[in-house]
Amino acid sequence: MDAILKVSGIGKRFVLHQAQSAVLTVLESISFALFPGECLVLSGHSGAGKSTLMRILYGNYLASRGSIRIRHGGEWLEMAGAEPRQTLALRRHTIGYVSQFLRVIPRVTALDVVMEPALLRGCARKTAQSKAEALLTRLNIPERLWHLAPGTFSGGEQQRINIARGFIAPWPLLLVDEPTASLDETNRQVVLDLIAEAKAADSAIIGIFHDRSAREAIASRFLNLESARAHTGGESFHAA
Amino acid sequence: MSALSCDTLLESRARRRADADEDSPENFSEATTPRPAWAAESPLLQAEHVTRLFGPEQGCQDVSFTLYPGEVLGLAGESGSGKSTLLAALSGRLLPEAGHVRYHDGKDWLDVHAVGESRRRTLLRTEWGFVEQNPRDGLRMSVSAGANIGERLMAQGARHYGKLRQAALDWLRHVEIEPARIDDTPGSFSGGMRQRLQIARNLVSFPRLVFMDEPTGGLDVSVQARILDLLRNLVRELKLSVVLVTHDLAVARLLADRLMVMRRSRIVEAGLTDQILDDPQHPYTQLLVSSILKV
Amino acid sequence: MTLQHELPSTGMPGYNFAYLDETTKRAIRRGLLKAVAIPGFQVPFGGREMPMPYGWGTGGIQATASILGLDDVLKVIDQGADDTTNAVSIRNFFKQVAGVASATRTTEATIIQTRHRIPETPLQNGQILVFQVPIPEPLRFIEPSESETAAMHALGDYGVMHVKLYEDIVRHGRIATRYAYPVEVNGRYVMDPSPIPRFDNPKLHMNPALLLFGAGREKRLYALPPYTRVVSLDFEDHPFEIPRWESACAICGSTESYLDELIVDDQGTRRYVCSDTDWCETRAAVGEKTT
């Protein structure tokens, strides 16, 4: 089977113009390929750049160098230098992202937050709603919360709304950043099941998992960002 | 507003325009995943080196971009950076001293400043909309809410009072104004209601492109949230393309797909909205983003 | 070079025929020609000071003075009547400065100057009706800027006219505009027919006479050449209608003319009489003969 994602020589440095243009190099040169049905778990200590890499893959951060090619609609798309609408099309159809924190929008109900990715793909509202309800039930969000805006929800509840949102539509590539943090054992297991199901349905998954047992339950292979950096340390890094 | 209340909007929209670029969400095998939308889609608006200066670095200069159907483009920057000048030039209100603005009307490319006043006015009341920061500038304050909404339709030749009224009632509901207020003049409305009325007045003709100048600028924060939510839904459900001027990065985050940051008449950074806000590259953008508490 | 033509005595030594000098008349006639060429379009003209205040029909008087010839027969009406102050004054003015014949019979007149009415007796080809216009701009109610109304006319940007009618229905349940009811001329310009009652609007359509409009204060001329299509603006479900009266004229018994309401005694007794005095007298005279 063909790869879904080919990353080569990705680097990221931040230039902080507000702080005497200090330069912070977070990623040196990351390369890997990912295939459908695989789960790649990112490892490395805090600050190794795991979340940064996720954000680069989602187009939220700009890579300072390197190439990210994603198979989208049967074609390879280079994310470096992609137009906004190309990145948005990727996010609509190809890349899903469960971030660590839910971005709350005033007046938008939990149900609407969850349904949004499906609706954006043109899914009928009724279908999207029944899917969303099934997910929220599975993640043990009480029905009385469905029609409230999640601004006042607890951290764990918000996290689960975010997870439901991530799994409402199937993604060729799914990025999950600490999806089990701040969840109890029951819900943690639900999330691991959801990930396993996505994997079985040929989604390629890249994840960051704080807890070791989750990591080991779900990983097909690991990418250690520190060693990745070490391996390619010889390359100089000036191109912006 | 709930997306449900937009169903009727969507239906009428669908009748007007056959949008067929959405795919089935049910699977993503290669056979059914759509070809990339950008492969075939024609842009809607193109700015090429648009320049209009009132003094050194006052106004806008050398602005180029391409806007595609359904895109919301935010123009951010502090006051005096040239956002409103650029918006006026893009919408044909102001003649640039250099550069071109072209609009694709579905068949042909039109040079917005060369087509002539007649065509431009027709565009402005049919395929375009313009939402002013101050609703007083975009509404007829002396006539009823219903007439404000119906004016575009009347200008397009609608001559049935009953149908005009029905359209006005529908739109009042869409923008969450009590339908019973249909015969009241905007003078008796709150600021937020006036702004929602102005939005209805613009969208009643189902425009393809809407220019917005700080649409929540003069409103209380609590009122802002409602308008933003409304705009966010309408933009999506009606597949509007929008050029949105805002100095409020939170507004940009919520509404804009893409962002252009202006400073001293020039675009200093452009890209995907969340990327610009979360990973700003230009010193000025970094300053702008770091100056707000949280967006 | 002599600009003043040799013209017959007018009864007013020292004044040119019909008061205005010939150069001015020619300028106004050029404006009128342009107005005839573009039906419904408002032509600016260099209006002169007249020996009477604005509001007394100075625009109509200048138009009349410019087209008046020695053999013309002039009729002047105000609200349909030949005998009101304004009508009598204007008639006397032209008698003095032009010495032309005057008439009250609509059929006898070659030029009729009018304020606020069109005679009930159908006009004939060859007759000219001159309207005194206070506010020529039909868009003025909503748009104070002259350059903007000019642009709106030029571009046929008339949606706002129906806004006005819509507001009428909102406020009154029907189109309640009774005077100065806007019309579309020859499928192009929207025109204010001067404050004639809505009742008279159908008479504008395909009228065999030449209709000239003069606004003195605003210095505008416009015209409807004979047999011009004139449509009153309306809605499909609120079509243009002309008012009807329950009663007939108390003097001549007419049921098809425009009636004025009179309160005839201290008890508030109402009677209705024709606003067009010539029409009424003619009918009454015929009635007496037949009885």
Side-chain angles (χ1 to χ4, degrees):
Chain A
M1 197 179 249
D2 212 357
I4 176 80
L5 174 71
K6 290 177 183 169
V7 173
S8 86
I10 279 292
K12 179 64 183 173
R13 61 170 187 179
F14 293 94
V15 182
L16 308 178
H17 293 282
Q18 304 307 310
Q20 288 83 46
S21 297
V23 176
L24 241 140
T25 301
V26 177
L27 298 172
E28 288 277 9
S29 180
I30 305 291
S31 302
F32 65 91
L34 192 67
F35 292 82
E38 264 195 314
C39 179
L40 178 71
V41 169
L42 306 181
S43 62
H45 65 77
S46 175
K50 303 188 291 292
S51 288
T52 297
L53 178 58
M54 290 282 230
R55 284 168 173 263
I56 290 172
L57 294 175
Y58 196 59
N60 180 231
Y61 284 180
L62 282 184
S64 308
R65 48 162 295 174
S67 152
I68 304 164
R69 290 190 303 145
I70 293 192
R71 198 146 48 84
H72 172 73
E75 294 183 2
W76 286 100
L77 175 71
E78 173 60 60
M79 280 190 81
E83 283 183 49
R85 66 201 184 93
Q86 293 177 312
T87 308
L88 288 174
L90 275 176
R91 290 180 182 182
R92 185 179 289 198
H93 296 288
T94 304
I95 313 179
Y97 180 36
V98 178
S99 57
Q100 267 178 285
F101 301 103
L102 176 68
R103 182 169 287 282
V104 178
I105 299 169
R107 299 211 333 149
V108 180
T109 68
L111 205 54
D112 282 323
V113 170
V114 175
M115 282 192 293
E116 192 181 32
L119 293 176
L120 279 179
R121 283 197 194 178
C123 179
R125 198 176 164 83
K126 249 185 190 161
T127 321
Q129 182 159 346
S130 57
K131 277 187 176 183
E133 286 172 358
L135 274 166
L136 288 171
T137 308
R138 203 169 157 193
L139 285 158
N140 303 302
I141 300 288
E143 202 173 334
R144 63 187 160 79
L145 296 182
W146 294 1
H147 297 280
L148 300 178
T152 53
F153 294 5
S154 73
E157 283 161 347
Q158 291 195 2
Q159 169 96 323
R160 279 176 281 152
I161 301 291
N162 213 15
I163 289 163
R165 180 183 159 88
F167 284 91
I168 184 107
W171 303 101
L173 174 61
L174 180 63
L175 312 172
V176 287
D177 192 349
E178 299 275 19
T180 53
S182 73
L183 294 188
D184 59 29
E185 183 49 38
T186 320
N187 286 314
R188 181 179 158 278
Q189 194 50 53
V190 175
V191 172
L192 294 180
D193 290 348
L194 284 170
I195 294 173
E197 286 162 26
K199 217 173 123 183
D202 264 354
S203 279
I205 293 163
I206 301 180
I208 301 171
F209 294 92
H210 190 69
D211 82 277
R212 175 185 286 270
S213 60
R215 224 160 38 210
E216 270 154 19
I218 224 77
S220 314
R221 57 198 175 96
F222 290 88
L223 177 69
N224 187 307
L225 292 185
E226 283 142 285
S227 58
R229 189 191 296 187
H231 283 311
T232 55
E235 220 166 315
S236 70
F237 189 36
H238 294 297
Chain B
M1 97 191 243
S2 81
L4 266 178
S5 65
C6 259
D7 285 356
T8 49
L9 289 187
L10 277 177
E11 282 161 25
S12 37
R13 175 71 164 191
R15 280 197 296 276
R16 278 160 180 266
R17 219 175 285 164
D19 280 318
D21 56 328
E22 288 305 322
D23 66 312
S24 153
E26 300 306 321
N27 59 62
F28 49 83
S29 72
E30 273 181 33
T32 53
T33 311
R35 281 184 57 79
W38 59 85
E41 204 173 32
S42 163
L44 195 65
L45 191 75
Q46 239 167 3
E48 288 168 17
H49 310 292
V50 173
T51 300
R52 178 68 195 254
L53 289 172
F54 302 102
E57 302 191 327
Q58 280 174 10
C60 60
Q61 56 182 316
D62 202 23
V63 175
S64 301
F65 67 90
T66 303
L67 186 74
Y68 284 84
E71 274 190 323
V72 179
L73 169 66
L75 288 175
E78 61 200 12
S79 48
S81 58
K83 309 185 295 285
S84 294
T85 303
L86 178 57
L87 195 71
L90 294 174
S91 59
R93 292 179 166 191
L94 192 66
L95 188 66
E97 58 203 51
H100 294 282
V101 180
R102 291 194 179 86
Y103 168 72
H104 196 268
D105 71 353
K107 290 198 296 283
D108 301 307
W109 281 103
L110 310 173
D111 184 320
V112 167
H113 296 95
V115 286
E117 184 69 11
S118 177
R119 185 66 211 270
R120 194 156 52 237
R121 280 192 188 216
T122 307
L123 279 179
L124 269 167
R125 69 177 180 226
T126 54
E127 294 176 39
W128 291 6
F130 201 114
V131 177
E132 309 271 1
Q133 171 170 7
N134 186 346
R136 276 181 173 278
D137 298 334
L139 290 172
R140 292 199 190 276
M141 296 302 284
S142 61
V143 306
S144 68
N148 265 291
I149 295 174
E151 183 173 345
R152 275 178 172 240
L153 301 176
M154 291 185 244
Q156 286 173 38
R159 293 291 178 263
H160 193 285
Y161 177 80
K163 288 178 188 165
L164 285 164
R165 228 170 145 70
Q166 193 52 52
L169 287 170
D170 288 347
W171 272 97
L172 286 174
R173 270 190 287 272
H174 294 319
V175 298
E176 301 177 19
I177 295 175
E178 194 59 38
R181 303 295 302 269
I182 184 169
D183 295 334
D184 296 345
T185 59
S188 66
F189 287 9
S190 68
M193 282 168 74
R194 284 181 195 173
Q195 196 55 293
R196 279 178 274 137
L197 181 63
Q198 193 194 180
I199 290 164
R201 175 179 158 87
N202 271 280
L203 298 191
V204 66
S205 66
F206 293 97
R208 305 168 70 205
L209 174 61
V210 182
F211 300 95
M212 299 186 188
D213 192 358
E214 305 270 11
T216 59
L219 302 172
D220 291 343
V221 177
S222 58
V223 179
Q224 271 190 27
R226 190 171 180 187
I227 303 248
L228 289 173
D229 181 31
L230 180 78
L231 282 175
R232 193 170 150 271
N233 281 305
L234 287 172
V235 158
R236 195 170 289 173
E237 314 259 346
L238 300 178
K239 285 199 156 192
L240 297 176
S241 300
V242 179
V243 180
L244 167 82
V245 161
T246 181
H247 71 278
D248 185 338
L249 295 182
V251 169
R253 162 94 74 180
L254 205 57
L255 290 180
D257 301 318
R258 314 156 51 181
L259 202 56
M260 299 202 305
V261 180
M262 281 189 87
R263 186 194 187 208
R264 294 184 192 157
S265 76
R266 286 187 176 84
I267 305 291
V268 295
E269 189 166 356
L272 201 64
T273 301
D274 60 276
Q275 181 261 301
I276 300 263
L277 296 180
D278 295 338
D279 187 18
Q281 309 290 309
H282 190 276
Y284 176 70
T285 317
Q286 290 190 356
L287 174 67
L288 208 62
V289 171
S290 67
S291 304
I292 40 175
L293 294 173
K294 192 191 176 194
V295 290
Chain C
M1 192 174 71
T2 312
L3 285 177
Q4 298 293 74
H5 291 238
E6 285 299 318
L7 283 159
S9 163
T10 62
M12 283 278 281
Y15 284 89
N16 188 38
F17 177 73
Y19 186 78
L20 294 175
D21 65 86
E22 294 305 307
T23 313
T24 299
K25 287 195 221 172
R26 273 199 295 274
I28 293 174
R29 284 198 292 265
R30 278 197 297 275
L32 288 171
L33 278 174
K34 183 170 180 182
V36 167
I38 318 170
F41 173 72
Q42 299 167 53
V43 181
F45 79 108
R48 296 294 190 266
E49 291 297 324
M50 297 301 284
M52 62 197 74
Y54 291 126
W56 280 63
T58 54
I61 289 166
Q62 290 180 76
T64 300
S66 304
I67 59 171
L68 202 59
L70 269 176
D71 49 355
D72 271 315
V73 180
L74 180 69
K75 171 182 164 80
V76 183
I77 51 173
D78 175 10
Q79 304 274 13
D82 295 85
D83 53 3
T84 54
T85 313
N86 189 251
V88 171
S89 303
I90 293 171
R91 191 161 57 234
N92 286 341
F93 173 75
F94 279 114
K95 268 186 192 167
Q96 279 188 41
V97 300
V100 294
S102 68
T104 55
R105 289 280 170 273
T106 298
T107 48
E108 290 169 14
T110 56
I111 297 175
I112 303 168
Q113 180 166 332
T114 178
R115 174 173 175 263
H116 298 190
R117 278 308 312 276
I118 296 174
E120 306 289 3
T121 308
L123 300 175
Q124 303 299 315
N125 196 221
Q127 287 185 303
I128 300 175
L129 186 62
V130 179
F131 293 79
Q132 303 167 200
V133 180
I135 301 165
E137 180 49 73
L139 300 165
R140 185 64 72 232
F141 74 101
I142 199 96
E143 183 49 67
S145 152
E146 182 66 26
S147 62
E148 178 59 18
T149 54
M152 289 163 86
H153 282 296
L155 304 172
D157 194 355
Y158 288 135
V160 72
M161 290 311 298
H162 276 85
V163 168
K164 185 186 181 183
L165 301 179
Y166 174 101
E167 286 296 276
D168 249 21
I169 304 174
V170 164
R171 302 235 160 85
H172 308 286
R174 65 202 154 79
I175 300 177
T177 301
R178 289 163 64 205
Y179 295 92
Y181 192 106
V183 293
E184 183 197 78
V185 176
N186 202 28
R188 178 58 181 86
Y189 286 97
V190 166
M191 186 189 95
D192 185 330
S194 91
I196 57 170
R198 175 168 71 172
F199 177 89
D200 282 342
N201 267 28
K203 295 176 190 165
L204 298 167
H205 178 60
M206 299 305 267
N207 197 308
L210 169 62
L211 312 185
L212 302 178
F213 298 78
R217 190 187 346 238
E218 307 257 340
K219 297 182 173 53
R220 291 288 185 280
L221 301 167
Y222 51 104
L224 296 174
Y227 307 108
T228 302
R229 281 182 291 123
V230 178
V231 180
S232 302
L233 304 182
D234 62 0
F235 288 105
E236 288 160 18
D237 48 344
H238 285 268
F240 174 82
E241 280 171 350
I242 57 169
R244 295 282 173 202
W245 285 263
E246 302 269 313
S247 30
C249 170
I251 298 170
C252 73
S254 170
T255 52
E256 66 245 52
S257 59
Y258 187 81
L259 301 180
D260 286 335
E261 182 185 290
L262 299 178
I263 296 172
V264 293
D265 57 26
D266 290 347
Q267 280 70 52
T269 309
R270 284 152 201 264
R271 295 178 75 194
Y272 291 88
V273 297
C274 290
S275 115
D276 185 337
T277 52
D278 167 53
W279 162 268
C280 194
E281 282 164 20
T282 309
R283 279 181 49 94
V286 171
E288 270 166 31
K289 257 181 228 166
T290 52
T291 43

